[in-house]
Every structure is written in structure tokens, then in C-alpha cells.
Amino acid sequence: MARLNLVIVSGLSGSGKSHALKVLEDAGYFCIDNLPPALLPTFVELCNHQGGEIANVALGIDARERMFFSDLAGTLDQVKALGHSVFLLFLESREEVLVRRFSESRRPHPLLPMMPVLDGVRFEKEHVAELRRYADRIIDTSDLTVHELRELLTKQFQRGTTEQTLTISLLTFGYKFGVPYDIDLLFDVRFLRNPFFVPELKPLPGDDPRVSAYVLGDPNADALLQRLDDLLTFLIPQFQREQRSYLTIAIGCTGGRHRSVAIAGRLQSSLTALGYSVSLKHRDLLKS
């Protein structure tokens, strides 16, 4: 029988359990939210029948079921007796923080939806007190950002040594066709000299060496690229530290055909030289 590494994520509603499950999923765990405790032994048995393909599992279990605490501790002991590793992670926050979070999301407390949120928080705290005493680790998320919580959990639960890589995408576009919405950073290069007004360059795309040389020959282009290199050299490690999986950088000019394409091509080369994997897409290159 394969040994299962099982993490139970529980705690107070609004304390970050859903985010914790997402972190564990990114760390290599097979995750299921809101699994009824009574089904836990059956679930473990099903995992064993997968021949070891599912070895690391995280389950979100909370107090939304009336019979939630009937014998959860006994169920976990039963799973441990079968030789599996069980770790109970309990998340909580201060009452005023939980009330504020529910107020910001405009959602009622799941246990007492028709009552004030504070009543629901206190009701739940009473019902999870026994489980809290059983926890292997308790994390108070009151003063943690989502990034700090992710860092804490990743350090403890990351499976293997493979680090998550950041995918960098460069996107060129023309302002006359609209600004793309699914981007993280945007740079406007319409201040650079425009090949559109040079008859022999106008019909050529921005990745043509003649157009590229014309655009990059502008002293302002050189100054811009130096500053972009410095900015991105600083920013990209910050995105990686926050466990971002992707970064989309948009470069825009009037038509998306000349200046943005030339600048993006040069930027791709400099980022690649720094060791990053960078894709390049020209949204409006073929539009008139």
C-alpha cells in the first residue's frame, strides 16, 4: 500500500483556507475543497488504488456541515493507523479582521447567514475549538498579506525542488485598434520617430532590419530601452518572489506595426540574454 501524504486545511471562515488550498495545489498537491469528513477513509482508499500516482493530497474541510465534528479526530486517527501521514493545518484570524473581510466581500457568514457576521464568527469559533486543539500547526492570518501566507505555506509544503517559473509575454499593439485588457505592464512608444512617414519604410513591418534600425537609431529609443532594462531587471524578481506564474508586457504605438514591434524585439533579446523565457506576439502587425 502506497503511503499518502495528507494535509487537512481547516479553520475559521474568512481566514484564508481557499487561498491556502491554491498554494498547496501550486506546490504539487492534489486538492479537494469541502470534502465531507465521513468520506475521508473512502477517499484514501481510492488514492491507494491509483498505484501511487496520487501521493500528496490536500483537503479543505470546514464547519458548514452540521455533523462536521462528530468524529473527525477519530477519522484522522484511523487514517494514521493505516500508515499515512496526516497534517492538520488550522487557519484563524482576529474577530475584527474576519468581520472586516466579510464586510468587504459583502457576503454573510456561511453558518449564520441571517445573523450579524460577528455572531457567525463567534458561533464558528466555539464549534471549531476542539479541532483547533488537534491541529499540527495554527496560523493567524490577521496581519498577513496573501503573499506572506503563500510564502509561509510554500516553505513548509513545497514538494520537490522544482521552482515555479515565470512566463514572460511581450505583446505589441496599435492604440488605434484599442488597448489590450489582459496585461500587467504597458509602455507607450508613440513619442519615437515614426517609419510610417518614410515612404520606403512605410510598407515594411517593424521586425524588418531596415525599420528596426530606423526606430532604434532614434536617441530616445536608446534612452527608453536603457530605462526599461533597468526597470524590468528590478521588477521581474519581485514578481517571481510573489509566485507569479506569468507576466504580460504590452508595447503600443499608433498602428502596432512599426515602433512597438521594433522596441519589443529588442526587449525580447535583452530579457532572453538575462536568462528569461520570453514569447512575443504582434496583435496588430497585419492590420492596415
Side-chain angles (χ1 to χ4, degrees):
M1 179 179 65
R3 183 175 184 270
L4 195 65
N5 180 36
L6 180 64
V7 176
I8 304 295
V9 180
S10 192
L12 300 178
S13 301
S15 61
K17 299 192 302 295
S18 295
H19 182 72
L21 278 177
K22 292 179 182 178
V23 174
L24 288 165
E25 185 174 29
D26 291 340
Y29 285 76
F30 179 82
C31 296
I32 297 179
D33 199 5
N34 298 328
L35 181 76
L39 295 180
L40 183 55
T42 302
F43 175 78
V44 169
E45 184 179 353
L46 290 174
C47 290
N48 283 329
H49 289 163
Q50 298 301 313
E53 293 183 9
I54 300 178
N56 303 302
V57 177
L59 303 178
I61 298 178
D62 61 28
R64 277 176 274 185
E65 288 188 72
R66 182 170 295 274
M67 301 302 294
F68 174 59
F69 293 109
S70 58
D71 194 24
L72 178 59
T75 301
L76 295 180
D77 287 337
Q78 178 184 346
V79 173
K80 288 181 180 179
L82 294 174
H84 302 294
S85 170
V86 178
F87 188 96
L88 177 56
L89 174 67
F90 189 94
L91 302 182
E92 63 182 8
S93 293
R94 297 190 300 272
E95 288 184 355
E96 68 272 17
V97 174
L98 294 174
V99 170
R100 187 187 72 240
R101 289 174 181 174
F102 276 105
S103 176
E104 290 173 348
S105 66
R106 299 184 179 181
R107 297 175 58 191
H109 195 281
L111 295 188
L112 297 177
M114 304 304 295
M115 300 289 288
V117 170
L118 183 57
D119 290 348
V121 169
R122 290 175 174 172
F123 178 79
E124 186 175 32
K125 284 179 67 176
E126 293 178 2
H127 283 71
V128 300
E130 179 183 350
L131 181 64
R132 186 182 187 277
R133 290 192 292 269
Y134 196 77
D136 295 290
R137 184 177 184 183
I138 299 171
I139 298 179
D140 187 329
T141 66
S142 301
D143 301 314
L144 296 178
T145 67
V146 291
H147 307 301
E148 291 168 337
L149 178 58
R150 171 178 284 274
E151 185 176 358
L152 277 177
L153 297 177
T154 299
K155 285 181 179 179
Q156 178 165 356
F157 296 108
Q158 180 71 53
R159 310 306 301 174
T161 58
T162 301
E163 296 185 359
Q164 180 176 344
T165 59
L166 177 68
T167 300
I168 302 176
S169 301
L170 292 173
L171 174 67
T172 68
F173 73 96
Y175 278 93
K176 65 187 292 184
F177 301 111
V179 177
Y181 66 90
D182 52 343
I183 58 177
D184 301 295
L185 299 173
L186 185 151
F187 299 102
D188 185 346
V189 298
R190 286 177 292 182
F191 63 90
L192 299 178
R193 63 186 183 186
N194 194 349
F196 181 85
F197 299 109
V198 180
E200 62 270 23
L201 298 180
K202 179 179 178 179
L204 302 175
D207 52 4
D208 185 283
R210 290 164 288 181
V211 176
S212 179
Y214 180 84
V215 173
L216 299 180
D218 185 341
N220 286 328
D222 184 61
L224 170 67
L225 287 166
Q226 288 183 29
R227 287 164 173 78
L228 286 180
D229 286 344
D230 290 341
L231 177 62
L232 294 175
T233 299
F234 166 75
L235 282 180
I236 292 175
Q238 310 312 313
F239 285 119
Q240 291 175 312
R241 182 177 59 83
E242 293 186 358
Q243 301 294 312
R244 288 284 297 272
S245 58
Y246 63 88
L247 174 66
T248 301
I249 304 171
I251 311 291
C253 61
T254 303
R257 179 171 172 79
H258 294 125
R259 292 167 291 180
S260 61
V261 173
I263 293 296
R266 163 63 174 74
L267 200 57
Q268 182 187 34
S269 297
S270 62
L271 291 175
T272 300
L274 292 174
Y276 298 111
S277 176
V278 186
S279 65
L280 177 57
K281 179 181 178 181
H282 304 303
R283 192 192 73 176
D284 303 325
L285 180 62
L286 300 181
K287 296 180 181 178
S288 60

